Amino acid sequence: MGEVFAGRYELIDPIGRGGAGAVWRAWDHRRRRYVAAKVLLQSDAHTLLRFVREQALRIEHPHVLAPASWAADDDKVLFTMDVVSGGSLAHLVGDYGALPPRFVCLLLDQLLSGLSTVHAEGVVHRDIKPANILLEATGTGRPHLRLSDFGISMRKGEPRLTETNYVVGTPGYFAPEQMMGAEPDFPADLFAVGLVALYLLQGKKPDAQALIEHFAAHGTPGAPQGMPEPLWQVLAGLLQPDPHARFRTATGARKALAAAVEMLPEPGPDDEPVEVFDQIGPLPAGFGPDGPVSAPRTAAPSAPGDASAATAGLVSQQ
């Protein structure tokens, strides 16, 4: 059996790792269910403040993966979330390369739906990228996306954890205004959504800097080869370097995407279905669908009527 944290969470096996800590599959003894537990690697004041901010986020939406509970034990802290076993968008592109436009539109619709709720709470995510967008293991069925990792998110108007001229986020998915040290705002998240969409459609990380320079020098470029023009118009609205020329809300971008989908060609009969595989794998020995599996108990041999010997045999094996 695994280590029991704070008398409640039994850590089973590692299923991921981020910049601030490791993610474990764990059994919640109180709620009697499996959860994903993010355990911080360090406990300095700066990291703890980020932990407080992330675990305090309570957003319930089918396409958002926000913390559900937290616990502290000695010098470690953790918070828990649902287990999402289909890996990230990075895993999916690693398996398939460029994805079909209609499939990408379905993922983008779910991402924008979740992001609209995040923004309605006044929260700017600030680190939208393929590795932070997880998928349920749905096989060849309808995909189900979950936006995760709110470790550097912040509410508009909150004091920053870093100096104004220090850029926070993942290089390659920054909006231009982030690079200039602007206050975090919702359109910066939408720029990152546009870059994620390009990544999914082209099967490789986009060159954000080259794209920004082209927009600035020549205006909106034509659709990349093989990309339907209606879909490109939506992406171009997300990728405008000037945040005032960009979509201002996730809801507005989602409405434009829905209109574009109506103009996309239907998938052909020979199109390969996209399958979202289980990336975590089966439970290790000692754990079943309903939690830890108790080892069979056998009483030590004892003389008839010797209750104390039988009891001692049971206690010694618990």
Side-chain angles (χ1 to χ4, degrees), residues 115 118-119 123-128 147 173 175 177-178 185-194 238 246:
L115 194 58
V118 172
H119 287 173
V123 174
V124 185
H125 188 282
R126 297 208 294 168
D127 199 18
I128 292 175
L147 175 60
Y173 291 91
E177 64 271 23
Q178 281 178 287
D185 204 352
F186 306 137
D189 281 349
L190 295 176
F191 186 87
V193 170
L238 292 166
R246 203 178 300 151

mmCIF file of all heavy atoms in Angstrom, residues 115 118-119 123-128 147 173 175 177-178 185-194 238 246:
data_model
loop_
_atom_site.group_PDB
_atom_site.id
_atom_site.type_symbol
_atom_site.label_atom_id
_atom_site.label_comp_id
_atom_site.label_asym_id
_atom_site.label_seq_id
_atom_site.Cartn_x
_atom_site.Cartn_y
_atom_site.Cartn_z
ATOM 1 N N LEU A 115 -13.276 28.317 -20.624
ATOM 2 C CA LEU A 115 -12.582 29.582 -20.392
ATOM 3 C C LEU A 115 -13.561 30.718 -20.145
ATOM 4 O O LEU A 115 -13.277 31.628 -19.356
ATOM 5 C CB LEU A 115 -11.691 29.898 -21.592
ATOM 6 C CG LEU A 115 -10.651 30.999 -21.411
ATOM 7 C CD1 LEU A 115 -9.704 30.669 -20.258
ATOM 8 C CD2 LEU A 115 -9.859 31.190 -22.704
ATOM 9 N N VAL A 118 -14.265 30.562 -16.513
ATOM 10 C CA VAL A 118 -13.093 31.027 -15.765
ATOM 11 C C VAL A 118 -13.039 32.551 -15.780
ATOM 12 O O VAL A 118 -12.861 33.207 -14.743
ATOM 13 C CB VAL A 118 -11.804 30.431 -16.356
ATOM 14 C CG1 VAL A 118 -10.567 31.046 -15.722
ATOM 15 C CG2 VAL A 118 -11.782 28.916 -16.159
ATOM 16 N N HIS A 119 -13.221 33.144 -16.946
ATOM 17 C CA HIS A 119 -13.174 34.600 -17.064
ATOM 18 C C HIS A 119 -14.350 35.259 -16.348
ATOM 19 O O HIS A 119 -14.216 36.362 -15.795
ATOM 20 C CB HIS A 119 -13.174 34.997 -18.541
ATOM 21 C CG HIS A 119 -11.871 34.711 -19.222
ATOM 22 N ND1 HIS A 119 -11.681 34.862 -20.585
ATOM 23 C CD2 HIS A 119 -10.674 34.266 -18.744
ATOM 24 C CE1 HIS A 119 -10.437 34.549 -20.894
ATOM 25 N NE2 HIS A 119 -9.808 34.170 -19.803
ATOM 26 N N VAL A 123 -11.012 35.483 -13.390
ATOM 27 C CA VAL A 123 -9.714 34.821 -13.340
ATOM 28 C C VAL A 123 -9.084 34.801 -14.727
ATOM 29 O O VAL A 123 -9.726 34.414 -15.713
ATOM 30 C CB VAL A 123 -9.853 33.382 -12.804
ATOM 31 C CG1 VAL A 123 -8.527 32.637 -12.900
ATOM 32 C CG2 VAL A 123 -10.350 33.403 -11.368
ATOM 33 N N VAL A 124 -7.812 35.216 -14.816
ATOM 34 C CA VAL A 124 -7.017 35.092 -16.032
ATOM 35 C C VAL A 124 -6.097 33.884 -15.838
ATOM 36 O O VAL A 124 -5.344 33.824 -14.869
ATOM 37 C CB VAL A 124 -6.174 36.364 -16.288
ATOM 38 C CG1 VAL A 124 -5.444 36.248 -17.624
ATOM 39 C CG2 VAL A 124 -7.050 37.614 -16.265
ATOM 40 N N HIS A 125 -6.160 32.912 -16.746
ATOM 41 C CA HIS A 125 -5.397 31.675 -16.571
ATOM 42 C C HIS A 125 -3.888 31.918 -16.691
ATOM 43 O O HIS A 125 -3.106 31.434 -15.866
ATOM 44 C CB HIS A 125 -5.847 30.635 -17.603
ATOM 45 C CG HIS A 125 -5.263 29.275 -17.392
ATOM 46 N ND1 HIS A 125 -3.966 28.954 -17.757
ATOM 47 C CD2 HIS A 125 -5.786 28.141 -16.850
ATOM 48 C CE1 HIS A 125 -3.726 27.696 -17.447
ATOM 49 N NE2 HIS A 125 -4.821 27.172 -16.907
ATOM 50 N N ARG A 126 -3.455 32.597 -17.732
ATOM 51 C CA ARG A 126 -2.075 33.019 -17.965
ATOM 52 C C ARG A 126 -1.117 31.914 -18.423
ATOM 53 O O ARG A 126 0.057 32.182 -18.669
ATOM 54 C CB ARG A 126 -1.465 33.707 -16.732
ATOM 55 C CG ARG A 126 -2.163 34.984 -16.329
ATOM 56 C CD ARG A 126 -1.210 35.930 -15.644
ATOM 57 N NE ARG A 126 -0.753 35.416 -14.373
ATOM 58 C CZ ARG A 126 0.260 35.943 -13.685
ATOM 59 N NH1 ARG A 126 0.924 36.972 -14.147
ATOM 60 N NH2 ARG A 126 0.616 35.433 -12.518
ATOM 61 N N ASP A 127 -1.559 30.663 -18.519
ATOM 62 C CA ASP A 127 -0.634 29.608 -18.954
ATOM 63 C C ASP A 127 -1.379 28.553 -19.777
ATOM 64 O O ASP A 127 -1.234 27.348 -19.550
ATOM 65 C CB ASP A 127 0.048 28.971 -17.752
ATOM 66 C CG ASP A 127 1.333 28.227 -18.132
ATOM 67 O OD1 ASP A 127 1.874 28.486 -19.226
ATOM 68 O OD2 ASP A 127 1.797 27.399 -17.338
ATOM 69 N N ILE A 128 -2.169 29.012 -20.739
ATOM 70 C CA ILE A 128 -2.880 28.087 -21.613
ATOM 71 C C ILE A 128 -1.903 27.546 -22.646
ATOM 72 O O ILE A 128 -1.292 28.301 -23.400
ATOM 73 C CB ILE A 128 -4.079 28.790 -22.285
ATOM 74 C CG1 ILE A 128 -5.137 29.131 -21.225
ATOM 75 C CG2 ILE A 128 -4.677 27.907 -23.377
ATOM 76 C CD1 ILE A 128 -6.302 29.917 -21.757
ATOM 77 N N LEU A 147 -9.585 22.036 -18.983
ATOM 78 C CA LEU A 147 -8.534 23.037 -18.801
ATOM 79 C C LEU A 147 -8.024 22.945 -17.368
ATOM 80 O O LEU A 147 -8.789 23.042 -16.412
ATOM 81 C CB LEU A 147 -9.084 24.435 -19.072
ATOM 82 C CG LEU A 147 -8.142 25.617 -18.805
ATOM 83 C CD1 LEU A 147 -6.888 25.527 -19.667
ATOM 84 C CD2 LEU A 147 -8.864 26.940 -19.021
ATOM 85 N N TYR A 173 3.768 30.672 -25.996
ATOM 86 C CA TYR A 173 2.317 30.855 -25.894
ATOM 87 C C TYR A 173 1.962 32.198 -25.241
ATOM 88 O O TYR A 173 0.867 32.372 -24.732
ATOM 89 C CB TYR A 173 1.682 29.670 -25.138
ATOM 90 C CG TYR A 173 1.759 28.406 -25.945
ATOM 91 C CD1 TYR A 173 2.849 27.546 -25.825
ATOM 92 C CD2 TYR A 173 0.785 28.075 -26.886
ATOM 93 C CE1 TYR A 173 2.960 26.399 -26.599
ATOM 94 C CE2 TYR A 173 0.881 26.926 -27.661
ATOM 95 C CZ TYR A 173 1.970 26.095 -27.517
ATOM 96 O OH TYR A 173 2.076 24.968 -28.297
ATOM 97 N N ALA A 175 1.013 36.150 -25.267
ATOM 98 C CA ALA A 175 0.486 37.236 -26.089
ATOM 99 C C ALA A 175 1.522 38.363 -26.120
ATOM 100 O O ALA A 175 2.303 38.509 -25.179
ATOM 101 C CB ALA A 175 -0.833 37.739 -25.508
ATOM 102 N N GLU A 177 1.320 41.483 -25.591
ATOM 103 C CA GLU A 177 1.242 42.422 -24.464
ATOM 104 C C GLU A 177 1.811 41.821 -23.184
ATOM 105 O O GLU A 177 2.289 42.549 -22.310
ATOM 106 C CB GLU A 177 -0.204 42.900 -24.242
ATOM 107 C CG GLU A 177 -1.205 41.825 -23.844
ATOM 108 C CD GLU A 177 -1.874 41.140 -25.014
ATOM 109 O OE1 GLU A 177 -1.302 41.156 -26.135
ATOM 110 O OE2 GLU A 177 -2.957 40.564 -24.817
ATOM 111 N N GLN A 178 1.777 40.479 -23.072
ATOM 112 C CA GLN A 178 2.423 39.854 -21.922
ATOM 113 C C GLN A 178 3.930 40.098 -21.956
ATOM 114 O O GLN A 178 4.547 40.356 -20.925
ATOM 115 C CB GLN A 178 2.165 38.338 -21.926
ATOM 116 C CG GLN A 178 0.804 37.909 -21.413
ATOM 117 C CD GLN A 178 0.642 36.407 -21.501
ATOM 118 O OE1 GLN A 178 0.474 35.849 -22.584
ATOM 119 N NE2 GLN A 178 0.709 35.737 -20.367
ATOM 120 N N ASP A 185 -4.871 40.118 -18.610
ATOM 121 C CA ASP A 185 -6.243 40.371 -19.035
ATOM 122 C C ASP A 185 -6.728 39.211 -19.884
ATOM 123 O O ASP A 185 -5.935 38.422 -20.413
ATOM 124 C CB ASP A 185 -6.325 41.687 -19.811
ATOM 125 C CG ASP A 185 -7.727 42.298 -19.765
ATOM 126 O OD1 ASP A 185 -8.648 41.627 -19.270
ATOM 127 O OD2 ASP A 185 -7.892 43.442 -20.251
ATOM 128 N N PHE A 186 -8.044 39.121 -20.049
ATOM 129 C CA PHE A 186 -8.647 37.980 -20.729
ATOM 130 C C PHE A 186 -8.176 37.802 -22.173
ATOM 131 O O PHE A 186 -7.974 36.662 -22.616
ATOM 132 C CB PHE A 186 -10.174 38.092 -20.681
ATOM 133 C CG PHE A 186 -10.726 38.269 -19.294
ATOM 134 C CD1 PHE A 186 -11.737 39.181 -19.048
ATOM 135 C CD2 PHE A 186 -10.232 37.527 -18.229
ATOM 136 C CE1 PHE A 186 -12.247 39.348 -17.759
ATOM 137 C CE2 PHE A 186 -10.726 37.683 -16.943
ATOM 138 C CZ PHE A 186 -11.748 38.600 -16.709
ATOM 139 N N PRO A 187 -8.003 38.870 -22.981
ATOM 140 C CA PRO A 187 -7.563 38.655 -24.368
ATOM 141 C C PRO A 187 -6.211 37.948 -24.485
ATOM 142 O O PRO A 187 -5.956 37.301 -25.505
ATOM 143 C CB PRO A 187 -7.508 40.084 -24.939
ATOM 144 C CG PRO A 187 -8.514 40.850 -24.140
ATOM 145 C CD PRO A 187 -8.401 40.282 -22.754
ATOM 146 N N ALA A 188 -5.356 38.048 -23.471
ATOM 147 C CA ALA A 188 -4.081 37.317 -23.517
ATOM 148 C C ALA A 188 -4.333 35.809 -23.515
ATOM 149 O O ALA A 188 -3.649 35.048 -24.215
ATOM 150 C CB ALA A 188 -3.201 37.719 -22.343
ATOM 151 N N ASP A 189 -5.312 35.352 -22.739
ATOM 152 C CA ASP A 189 -5.684 33.937 -22.756
ATOM 153 C C ASP A 189 -6.200 33.535 -24.135
ATOM 154 O O ASP A 189 -5.920 32.433 -24.621
ATOM 155 C CB ASP A 189 -6.761 33.650 -21.708
ATOM 156 C CG ASP A 189 -6.225 33.536 -20.295
ATOM 157 O OD1 ASP A 189 -4.991 33.460 -20.123
ATOM 158 O OD2 ASP A 189 -7.050 33.518 -19.357
ATOM 159 N N LEU A 190 -6.959 34.426 -24.785
ATOM 160 C CA LEU A 190 -7.537 34.099 -26.085
ATOM 161 C C LEU A 190 -6.457 33.998 -27.158
ATOM 162 O O LEU A 190 -6.564 33.180 -28.079
ATOM 163 C CB LEU A 190 -8.582 35.144 -26.463
ATOM 164 C CG LEU A 190 -9.812 35.163 -25.546
ATOM 165 C CD1 LEU A 190 -10.745 36.303 -25.932
ATOM 166 C CD2 LEU A 190 -10.555 33.828 -25.598
ATOM 167 N N PHE A 191 -5.402 34.817 -27.057
ATOM 168 C CA PHE A 191 -4.281 34.698 -27.975
ATOM 169 C C PHE A 191 -3.654 33.308 -27.848
ATOM 170 O O PHE A 191 -3.351 32.646 -28.854
ATOM 171 C CB PHE A 191 -3.242 35.783 -27.690
ATOM 172 C CG PHE A 191 -2.118 35.833 -28.683
ATOM 173 C CD1 PHE A 191 -2.228 36.582 -29.839
ATOM 174 C CD2 PHE A 191 -0.937 35.125 -28.459
ATOM 175 C CE1 PHE A 191 -1.187 36.622 -30.774
ATOM 176 C CE2 PHE A 191 0.102 35.160 -29.381
ATOM 177 C CZ PHE A 191 -0.025 35.914 -30.538
ATOM 178 N N ALA A 192 -3.481 32.842 -26.613
ATOM 179 C CA ALA A 192 -2.917 31.505 -26.386
ATOM 180 C C ALA A 192 -3.827 30.418 -26.959
ATOM 181 O O ALA A 192 -3.343 29.414 -27.492
ATOM 182 C CB ALA A 192 -2.685 31.286 -24.897
ATOM 183 N N VAL A 193 -5.149 30.608 -26.872
ATOM 184 C CA VAL A 193 -6.081 29.642 -27.468
ATOM 185 C C VAL A 193 -5.855 29.558 -28.973
ATOM 186 O O VAL A 193 -5.861 28.465 -29.564
ATOM 187 C CB VAL A 193 -7.541 30.038 -27.163
ATOM 188 C CG1 VAL A 193 -8.522 29.184 -27.982
ATOM 189 C CG2 VAL A 193 -7.839 29.879 -25.674
ATOM 190 N N GLY A 194 -5.633 30.709 -29.621
ATOM 191 C CA GLY A 194 -5.360 30.701 -31.048
ATOM 192 C C GLY A 194 -4.102 29.931 -31.394
ATOM 193 O O GLY A 194 -4.061 29.173 -32.375
ATOM 194 N N LEU A 238 -8.378 35.561 -33.049
ATOM 195 C CA LEU A 238 -7.748 35.249 -31.767
ATOM 196 C C LEU A 238 -6.287 35.676 -31.738
ATOM 197 O O LEU A 238 -5.734 35.957 -30.669
ATOM 198 C CB LEU A 238 -7.821 33.738 -31.498
ATOM 199 C CG LEU A 238 -9.202 33.140 -31.240
ATOM 200 C CD1 LEU A 238 -9.145 31.622 -31.342
ATOM 201 C CD2 LEU A 238 -9.723 33.553 -29.862
ATOM 202 N N ARG A 246 -8.395 42.027 -31.180
ATOM 203 C CA ARG A 246 -8.615 40.601 -30.926
ATOM 204 C C ARG A 246 -10.030 40.391 -30.388
ATOM 205 O O ARG A 246 -10.690 41.331 -29.942
ATOM 206 C CB ARG A 246 -7.599 40.142 -29.878
ATOM 207 C CG ARG A 246 -7.283 38.651 -29.848
ATOM 208 C CD ARG A 246 -6.218 38.381 -28.794
ATOM 209 N NE ARG A 246 -4.969 39.109 -29.055
ATOM 210 C CZ ARG A 246 -4.126 39.510 -28.116
ATOM 211 N NH1 ARG A 246 -4.375 39.258 -26.835
ATOM 212 N NH2 ARG A 246 -3.021 40.156 -28.435
#
